Amino acid sequence: MGLRVPFVTAVVGALLVAGATTGTTYASWVDQAPLHQSGVGSAAMSLGASDAPASTLLAPGAITTVPVTVTDTSSGAAKNLVQRVTATASAPTGVTVALTRDTGSGCPGSAFTSRDTQPGGSFVLCVRLTAAATASSGTVQVVLTGRQVQGSVVQGWTTSRTVSLPVAVVPNAPVLSCQGSTLSWTATGSTYRVQARDNGSEAWEPFTNTSETSARATGIGIYGSRQFRVVAVTGGVESDPSNAVRINRLILSYSCEVL
Amino acid sequence: MNKMIKGSLAGATGVALLMGGFGTYALWSDSENLQVNGVQSGELDIATSAGTYDDANTATANDWTSTDKMVPGDKVTYTQTFTVKATGKNMKGNVVYTKPNLSNTFAGLANSVVITSDNANVVESQTTPGTFTFTSPFGTATLKAVVTYTLPSGTANQADQNKAATLPAAAFTITQG
């Protein structure tokens, strides 16, 4: 009984203080409105090119043109993206490359320097190939480089794409000569296919294959004769046939004539 | 007349005289109205609507969409306005915006939120950006929030391609006090 009165007094006092405090701190208007979510995303800059032919045959001295379609494969939603495309090329020994613009109706046009593109745009780059007589087969590489253009200033992103063009140089046709029953020819390929046919026959048949530049004519009957010619082969690519020669057999001796 | 009738008449006459006597009382009186009176409450309110994107490098307004993609050199803004009302004789308080963390996969993206007031009575704190105070009722004010995203021009090679950044929603809170 002696403690009850002070305890009740303390509880009541605490409640009064709490109430007073509450009354002074929680009495204000509040309202809210959101700054909505916002955000951005970035694009990607890239270049694409049409598939190059599996192999391009180059005849020495002749000009061969390979059109390559270059496409700006950058993100289509890149509102302000412009890239300037330039190109350089390298080629096997003896093969020269010139890069030209498409005239709009085909290759070749004037020399290619650069081209500005936007996502989805494309243009044709003409790759003109010329092989010297001593040219080697191999791969022509065209390196396309895209550089971002901001206004008139080239700065920002860069990208590149390499187009590989396998080229096979067609060997020159050998020049065939003969002496007696010996055939000899100029060296224009890495291997040679000697072909023969009987007089009066139209079809040439394989006679022998060799990496040498001479061969002996055999299989000619007494008082008989056969014609021979040679095809040079380099990297699986055949030249035009050489001139033909006719070998004539008497009994033991041979004579020949260049046809 | 018999006595009964005479008595009744005399009684009725007496009552009538007595009733006539009552109608002669007259006291002074006066009155005044308690005039019509009342009170009105003030208002504390903030409202907004959808914001708009803009390609800040062009003169055209609102020429950016949420699906457009940035490239180096781009500067994109997102602008949203807030209409703020504070009336009431003793109204004072503040408007507070706390910028949340940017959800960001970019390496070099710059981002900022700048808020301006068109009312001189709603003033941004010098020490706490995003907090505006008012010490008296100002009626109506407009706060404009501009969120800016900048991908620097010098972003080279293939940096920051296919990235994304999002500033989450966050409240502008107006509080009396």
Side-chain angles (χ1 to χ4, degrees):
Chain A
M1 185 65 182
L3 294 174
R4 183 173 296 171
V5 171
F7 176 74
V8 171
T9 303
V11 170
V12 172
L15 290 173
L16 287 172
V17 170
T21 303
T22 302
T24 56
T25 56
Y26 291 90
S28 62
W29 284 343
V30 177
D31 193 17
Q32 289 186 329
L35 174 59
H36 300 302
Q37 174 178 300
S38 64
V40 292
S42 61
M45 192 176 82
S46 58
L47 285 173
S50 58
D51 290 336
S55 183
T56 300
L57 297 179
L58 300 180
I63 297 174
T64 301
T65 301
V66 179
V68 173
T69 301
V70 180
T71 304
D72 186 335
T73 53
S74 306
S75 309
K79 178 174 179 286
N80 298 318
L81 183 57
V82 176
Q83 63 174 317
R84 182 160 297 165
V85 181
T86 57
T88 58
S90 60
T93 303
V95 176
T96 57
V97 185
L99 302 176
T100 65
R101 301 172 69 98
D102 178 17
T103 59
S105 57
C107 291
S110 56
F112 178 83
T113 53
S114 67
R115 180 80 175 256
D116 288 357
T117 68
Q118 291 181 294
S122 65
F123 63 90
V124 175
L125 177 67
C126 305
V127 183
R128 301 186 74 201
L129 304 169
T130 307
T134 57
S136 301
S137 297
T139 301
V140 172
Q141 290 199 319
V142 178
V143 178
L144 303 166
T145 301
R147 295 180 176 83
Q148 187 190 349
V149 181
Q150 299 176 28
S152 59
V153 180
V154 177
Q155 62 176 348
W157 286 338
T158 59
T159 188
S160 67
R161 171 70 183 258
T162 300
V163 179
S164 297
L165 304 171
V167 293
V169 179
V170 179
N172 282 322
V175 177
L176 179 60
S177 60
C178 58
Q179 184 170 17
S181 62
T182 300
L183 306 170
S184 59
W185 55 88
T186 55
T188 59
S190 55
T191 61
Y192 301 92
R193 294 173 183 165
V194 182
Q195 300 170 334
R197 70 180 178 188
D198 294 329
N199 280 333
S201 174
E202 291 292 324
W204 291 93
E205 297 175 350
F207 176 71
T208 187
N209 293 336
T210 180
S211 59
E212 304 295 328
T213 55
S214 64
R216 180 172 296 277
T218 58
I220 305 173
I222 296 174
Y223 300 115
S225 66
R226 298 188 79 187
Q227 293 181 22
F228 296 87
R229 70 180 188 180
V230 179
V231 173
V233 180
T234 299
V237 181
E238 295 185 352
S239 70
D240 289 337
S242 69
N243 58 298
V245 298
R246 180 184 293 124
I247 306 293
N248 305 303
R249 179 182 177 184
L250 297 177
I251 297 176
L252 296 176
S253 62
Y254 292 86
S255 64
C256 75
E257 55 185 319
V258 176
L259 300 177
Chain B
M1 288 193 285
N2 59 32
K3 288 182 181 180
M4 183 172 290
I5 294 172
K6 288 180 181 175
S8 297
L9 288 172
T13 302
V15 170
L17 290 171
L18 285 172
M19 292 182 68
F22 281 126
T24 62
Y25 286 105
L27 300 178
W28 286 349
S29 67
D30 194 7
S31 68
E32 288 292 341
N33 289 330
L34 173 61
Q35 296 294 326
V36 171
N37 67 89
V39 294
Q40 295 176 336
S41 62
E43 181 180 15
L44 186 73
D45 184 71
I46 184 167
T48 189
S49 57
T52 56
Y53 286 97
D54 181 57
D55 183 346
N57 289 331
T58 69
T60 306
N62 305 332
D63 58 342
W64 189 270
T65 69
S66 59
T67 57
D68 285 335
K69 300 290 187 183
M70 295 184 78
V71 299
D74 276 345
K75 182 177 181 181
V76 177
T77 61
Y78 175 81
T79 301
Q80 188 177 323
T81 58
F82 296 80
T83 301
V84 184
K85 294 179 182 176
T87 59
K89 179 175 183 296
N90 298 315
M91 179 61 77
K92 60 182 180 180
N94 57 45
V95 180
V96 177
Y97 169 76
T98 302
K99 181 176 179 284
N101 290 330
L102 185 71
S103 174
N104 181 21
T105 59
F106 284 89
L109 184 77
N111 171 246
S112 65
V113 179
V114 174
I115 306 166
T116 55
S117 167
D118 71 344
N119 191 313
N121 294 316
V122 184
V123 182
E124 186 171 24
S125 165
Q126 296 292 322
T127 56
T128 312
T131 295
F132 290 74
T133 59
F134 51 96
T135 57
S136 60
F138 56 82
T140 300
T142 298
L143 299 183
K144 182 167 72 175
V146 180
V147 185
T148 302
Y149 302 89
T150 304
L151 189 56
S153 299
T155 305
N157 303 321
Q158 304 276 298
D160 275 341
Q161 296 196 0
N162 291 323
K163 304 296 184 184
T166 301
L167 185 66
F172 272 54
T173 302
I174 185 169
T175 304
Q176 176 194 1

